[in-house]
Amino acid sequence: MIQWALNNDWDVYLAGDGNPRLVTDNLELAQTVACNCRVILGESWVDDAAGVPYSLGDNKTSLSQLSEYIRIEAMKDPRVKTATLEKTEIKNRTFTGIISI
């Protein structure tokens, strides 16, 4: 697949000539998985089945529960064979970590 590249602010990245930069192959897969794991379930206009439930953002959800939901979301893409989360942390209601696919 081909899609537009996203920058660190999660906005469309433009190439030096002003045209949108495109990504393919492994970078496209990584970007797709990251987008699906960052979206709230039902909020994506591309795929309303992508994302994690909003209710997981409450203070009752453990780090391990949230990590597992993110891992499951990453595995929804049929091209992903394994997904592991590393360096996960919840701070000020913000979940951070690294997804290795």
Side-chain angles (χ1 to χ4, degrees):
M1 294 174 58
I2 299 173
Q3 64 178 253
W4 290 5
L6 300 178
N7 64 17
N8 291 337
D9 294 324
W10 227 246
D11 201 0
V12 175
Y13 178 79
L14 299 178
D17 62 1
N19 290 318
R21 182 173 172 224
L22 302 176
V23 293
T24 60
D25 302 324
N26 291 340
L27 185 55
E28 182 274 329
L29 175 59
Q31 189 170 281
T32 297
V33 169
C35 286
N36 290 344
C37 290
R38 290 176 61 127
V39 73
I40 302 298
L41 183 63
E43 296 290 321
S44 172
W45 56 273
V46 176
D47 180 5
D48 61 2
V52 295
Y54 179 79
S55 61
L56 292 177
D58 65 19
N59 291 332
K60 298 175 188 171
T61 305
S62 71
L63 181 61
S64 61
Q65 286 174 311
L66 187 52
S67 296
E68 184 61 13
Y69 270 94
I70 297 292
R71 191 191 71 74
I72 290 169
E73 186 60 38
M75 294 293 296
K76 285 183 181 177
D77 191 304
R79 299 171 292 172
V80 175
K81 303 301 180 213
T82 62
T84 56
L85 275 75
E86 305 165 6
K87 299 182 183 179
T88 57
E89 179 182 43
I90 297 176
K91 188 174 185 178
N92 298 327
R93 294 193 63 206
T94 301
F95 177 83
T96 59
I98 299 171
I99 305 170
S100 298
I101 55 173

